[in-house]
C-alpha cells in the first residue's frame, strides 16, 4: 500500500513538473504573428481581389510612388545612386514599416528603350514581395509600358522587345503575393481593378479603385477616360448594392479610395485653396506643391465623364492618391475628398532637382538646379493609409529618414557633395544652381 501511495505521489509530482515546464515555455513564446489573408481576383467568388482585415480591425496600406528604376540609369548626374539602391530601399522600407498591403502608384520602371524588355525590372519587384511575404499590387504609370515602345507580339520572355500591359499582368499575376489583374468590364486599358477590403466575417467595408494610365504613340492620357469613369461608377454602384441592397438610399454607398498615377485636374486648385498663400486653412494637412498644373486637362469632357464630378456625385470615395509629379507630397481636403500626392519612393530618377536635356551628349543633363531639394528637403518614403472596420481612414507621411535605422549609412544623399563632384567633372560644362537652405541635411 505504501509503495502504491509513493508511486502516485511521484506520478503527481512528475505531472506538476511537466505542466510547469509547459507553462514556462508557453509564456516565453511570442504570440504567433497573424498572417494577412487575401484572395486573388482569379480565386475569389466575386472576381475581385480581396483583403481581409486583421483581427484588430485595422488595415495598414503603404503607398509607394514613382520608384521608377531607369533602364539607362541616366539620373546619376543629379544625385541618383541607381537602380540597385531603389530595389534595396523598397525592400528595407517595407520590412521596416511592416504594412499589411502595399500599392505602388505607377512608374515602377522607366522603360524608354524599344529594344529592351521591361519584364526583368518588374520581376525584381515581385521577388522582393515574395521574400517579404507581403501582398501588393500596382497601377500603371505613363512610363511602365509606354505605348511608343511596346510590341504587342512580344512575350514576357522576349529580351529585346517590350511586351504589352496585358502580357506583363499575366506574368506578374503568377507570383503568389502580387494581386494585379484587369477587370474586363472596363473597355479602356489594362490593370483597371478594384481591391475589396472585408472584415473577418466577410462583410465588405472598403474598396480600392486602381486606374490604368493609358498610353499610345502620341503620349499618355492625363485623366481617366470616359469609359474608365463609367466603369468606376458602375462598379461602386454594384458593390454598394451588394452591401446595402438594391433598394438602398442614394447615401448608402460603400466607402472607397482611388489610386491614379497622374494627378487629377483639381489638384492645383485644391492646393491653392488649402495653402492660402502661406496661411494654411484647416483643409491643409501636410506637404508641399512644387510642380504641375493640370487644371485644364479635362478639355471638353462633360461633367458626367469627369472623374472628380462623378466622385462627388456618388459620395463613395473619401481619398484620392496621386503620383507622377515626383516633387509634390501634399495632402489636403477639397470639396469633401482628401487629395494626396504620395512621398517619392525611389533612388533611380530625379527628385527635387531640375535640369534640361543635353542632347545625345553625356552627361545626359545640363543646367542642373538643386534649389528644390536644398530649400524643401529630402522627404522620400511612403504614405500610410489606414482603413478600419469602423469605416474610418487615416493618411500620414512616413519618411525614410525616420523609418530606417540605417538611413544615414545607406540612403542619405549629401547634395553638397553631388554638386561639388558635378562642378569638378570636366565633361560637365553647364551651370549649377543652389537654393538658399540645406533642408536635406541631417
Amino acid at each position: 500500500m505504501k509503495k502504491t501511495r509513493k508511486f502516485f505521489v511521484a506520478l503527481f509530482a512528475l505531472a506538476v513538473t511537466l505542466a510547469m515546464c509547459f507553462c514556462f515555455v508557453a509564456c516565453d513564446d511570442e504570440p504567433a504573428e497573424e498572417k494577412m489573408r487575401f484572395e486573388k481576383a482569379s480565386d475569389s467568388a466575386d472576381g475581385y481581389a480581396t483583403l481581409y482585415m486583421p483581427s484588430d480591425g485595422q488595415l495598414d496600406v503603404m503607398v509607394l510612388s514613382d520608384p521608377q528604376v531607369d533602364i539607362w540609369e541616366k539620373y546619376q548626374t543629379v544625385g541618383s545612386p541607381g537602380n540597385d539602391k531603389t530595389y534595396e530601399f523598397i525592400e528595407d522600407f517595407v520590412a521596416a514599416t511592416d504594412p499589411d498591403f502595399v500599392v505602388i502608384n505607377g512608374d515602377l520602371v522607366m522603360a524608354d528603350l524599344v529594344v529592351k524588355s521591361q519584364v526583368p525590372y518588374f520581376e525584381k519587384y515581385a521577388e522582393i514581395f515574395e521574400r517579404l511575404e507581403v501582398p501588393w499590387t500596382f497601377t500603371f504609370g505613363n512610363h511602365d509600358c509606354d505605348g511608343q515602345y511596346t510590341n504587342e507580339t512580344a512575350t514576357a520572355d522576349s529580351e529585346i522587345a517590350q511586351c504589352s500591359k496585358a502580357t506583363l499582368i499575366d506574368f506578374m499575376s503568377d507570383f503568389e503575393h502580387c494581386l494585379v489583374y484587369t477587370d474586363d468590364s472596363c473597355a479602356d486599358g489594362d490593370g483597371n481593378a478594384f481591391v475589396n477590403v472585408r472584415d473577418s466575417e466577410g462583410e465588405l467595408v472598403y474598396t480600392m479603385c486602381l486606374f490604368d494610365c493609358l498610353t499610345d504613340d502620341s503620349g499618355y492620357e492625363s485623366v481617366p477616360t470616359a469609359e474608365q469613369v463609367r466603369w468606376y461608377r458602375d462598379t461602386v454602384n454594384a458593390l454598394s448594392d451588394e452591401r446595402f441592397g438594391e433598394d438602398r438610399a442614394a447615401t448608402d454607398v460603400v466607402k472607397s479610395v482611388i489610386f491614379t498615377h497622374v494627378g487629377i485636374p483639381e489638384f492645383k486648385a485644391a492646393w491653392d485653396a488649402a495653402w492660402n498663400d502661406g496661411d494654411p486653412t484647416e483643409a491643409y494637412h501636410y506637404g508641399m506643391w512644387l510642380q504641375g498644373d493640370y487644371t485644364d486637362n479635362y478639355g471638353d469632357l462633360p461633367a458626367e465623364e469627369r472623374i472628380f464630378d462623378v466622385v462627388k456625385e456618388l459620395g463613395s470615395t473619401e481619398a484620392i492618391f496621386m503620383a507622377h509629379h515626383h516633387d509634390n507630397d501634399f495632402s489636403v481636403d477639397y470639396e469633401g475628398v482628401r487629395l494626396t500626392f504620395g512621398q517619392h519612393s525611389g533612388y533611380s530618377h530625379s527628385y527635387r532637382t531640375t535640369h534640361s536635356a543635353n542632347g545625345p551628349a553625356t552627361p545626359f543633363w545640363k543646367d542642373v538646379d538643386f534649389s528644390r531639394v536644398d530649400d524643401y528637403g529630402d522627404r522620400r518614403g511612403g504614405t500610410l493609409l489606414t482603413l478600419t472596420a469602423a469605416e474610418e481612414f487615416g493618411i500620414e507621411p512616413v519618411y525614410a529618414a525616420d523609418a530606417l535605422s540605417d538611413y544615414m549609412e545607406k540612403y542619405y544623399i549629401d547634395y553638397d557633395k553631388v554638386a561639388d563632384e558635378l562642378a569638378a567633372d570636366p565633361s560637365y560644362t553647364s551651370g549649377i544652381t543652389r537654393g538658399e537652405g540645406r533642408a536635406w541635411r541631417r
Side-chain angles (χ1 to χ4, degrees):
M1 186 70 177
K2 288 183 179 179
K3 288 183 179 179
T4 303
R5 187 166 56 236
K6 286 181 179 179
F7 170 77
F8 282 112
V9 169
L11 188 63
F12 177 75
L14 178 61
V16 170
T17 302
L18 289 173
M20 291 178 65
C21 289
F22 176 80
C23 243
F24 283 130
V25 170
C27 289
D28 286 343
D29 282 350
E30 291 291 330
E33 184 176 346
E34 184 177 5
K35 199 171 181 69
M36 183 65 197
R37 292 170 55 212
F38 62 90
E39 289 178 328
K40 294 190 172 219
S42 57
D43 298 328
S44 69
D46 59 7
Y48 298 109
T50 304
L51 305 168
Y52 292 91
M53 280 196 170
S55 57
D56 64 0
Q58 177 172 304
L59 183 78
D60 292 338
V61 181
M62 184 58 70
V63 184
L64 306 178
S65 304
D66 294 286
Q68 207 157 333
V69 294
D70 177 40
I71 288 177
W72 293 94
E73 293 193 285
K74 55 186 172 288
Y75 293 92
Q76 294 183 8
T77 302
V78 292
S80 161
N83 295 340
D84 288 346
K85 185 61 68 176
T86 291
Y87 287 124
E88 185 180 17
F89 169 74
I90 296 295
E91 186 158 4
D92 284 353
F93 186 78
V94 173
T97 54
D98 192 27
D100 300 309
F101 185 59
V102 172
V103 176
I104 304 183
N105 198 13
D107 278 3
L108 289 73
V109 179
M110 188 161 188
D112 55 351
L113 182 61
V114 70
V115 293
K116 192 172 180 66
S117 172
Q118 79 277 53
V119 172
Y121 297 91
F122 276 88
E123 185 175 17
K124 287 186 178 181
Y125 286 106
E127 290 169 346
I128 288 170
F129 290 100
E130 292 305 301
R131 287 193 294 271
L132 296 173
E133 297 184 330
V134 174
W136 71 294
T137 193
F138 60 90
T139 66
F140 283 108
N142 55 302
H143 288 299
D144 291 309
C145 292
D146 194 327
Q148 62 184 312
Y149 300 114
T150 53
N151 182 337
E152 292 296 322
T153 65
T155 69
D157 295 325
S158 301
E159 295 183 1
I160 58 171
Q162 290 192 32
C163 68
S164 66
K165 290 178 180 177
T167 299
L168 181 62
I169 288 170
D170 286 343
F171 175 81
M172 295 295 285
S173 63
D174 283 341
F175 289 91
E176 178 184 354
H177 291 85
C178 185
L179 272 58
V180 70
Y181 74 102
T182 293
D183 185 338
D184 292 330
S185 64
C186 183
D188 280 354
D190 295 281
N192 297 295
F194 275 79
V195 178
N196 287 337
V197 179
R198 297 182 181 274
D199 64 20
S200 58
E201 302 300 318
E203 181 81 12
L204 181 63
V205 180
Y206 266 97
T207 191
M208 295 182 278
C209 174
L210 293 90
F211 282 115
D212 178 23
C213 177
L214 275 68
T215 65
D216 57 25
D217 290 343
S218 62
Y220 64 92
E221 292 282 355
S222 62
V223 298
T225 67
E227 172 57 28
Q228 287 176 301
V229 172
R230 180 208 60 77
W231 163 77
Y232 161 78
R233 177 194 280 112
D234 289 352
T235 307
V236 166
N237 281 330
L239 291 171
S240 298
D241 288 348
E242 176 205 323
R243 170 74 190 277
F244 299 102
E246 294 185 4
D247 59 348
R248 63 186 171 87
T251 53
D252 289 335
V253 289
V254 65
K255 304 284 182 149
S256 65
V257 176
I258 285 176
F259 296 92
T260 180
H261 176 68
V262 179
I264 64 172
E266 289 80 5
F267 78 76
K268 183 58 165 59
W271 164 260
D272 288 341
W275 184 242
N276 192 32
D277 291 327
D279 183 20
T281 69
E282 291 183 355
Y284 173 83
H285 290 275
Y286 63 81
M288 292 299 299
W289 169 89
L290 295 175
Q291 62 179 153
D293 184 351
Y294 282 5
T295 301
D296 298 325
N297 282 27
Y298 282 129
D300 58 0
L301 276 176
E304 62 269 19
E305 296 178 355
R306 297 183 177 194
I307 185 59
F308 196 66
D309 285 273
V310 176
V311 162
K312 292 187 294 181
E313 168 200 326
L314 295 180
S316 163
T317 295
E318 297 183 317
I320 299 176
F321 283 87
M322 305 166 288
H324 186 61
H325 290 104
H326 300 189
D327 298 352
N328 294 343
D329 65 354
F330 69 82
S331 186
V332 300
D333 296 320
Y334 186 65
E335 298 185 7
V337 183
R338 182 85 169 261
L339 303 184
T340 301
F341 273 89
Q343 307 305 128
H344 187 60
S345 307
Y347 281 83
S348 297
H349 206 280
S350 63
Y351 171 66
R352 293 191 168 178
T353 61
T354 59
H355 41 74
S356 55
N358 198 27
T362 54
F364 283 94
W365 311 113
K366 62 183 179 180
D367 303 322
V368 176
D369 187 341
F370 294 96
S371 296
R372 287 180 184 167
V373 74
D374 280 344
D375 293 340
Y376 298 102
D378 186 336
R379 296 291 183 265
R380 285 180 177 90
T383 310
L384 181 63
L385 166 68
T386 57
L387 303 175
T388 74
E391 300 183 23
E392 297 173 338
F393 78 97
I395 297 172
E396 61 180 285
V398 182
Y399 304 121
D402 298 329
L404 299 174
S405 60
D406 55 0
Y407 172 80
M408 292 300 295
E409 294 77 25
K410 293 177 68 174
Y411 299 109
Y412 176 73
I413 297 177
D414 183 333
Y415 283 95
D416 285 339
K417 183 179 179 181
V418 173
D420 289 345
E421 289 177 349
L422 187 59
D425 183 350
S427 68
Y428 184 81
T429 58
S430 187
I432 298 173
T433 303
R434 302 302 302 271
E436 296 180 2
R438 295 294 185 269
W440 46 265
R441 282 182 181 164
R442 292 184 68 82

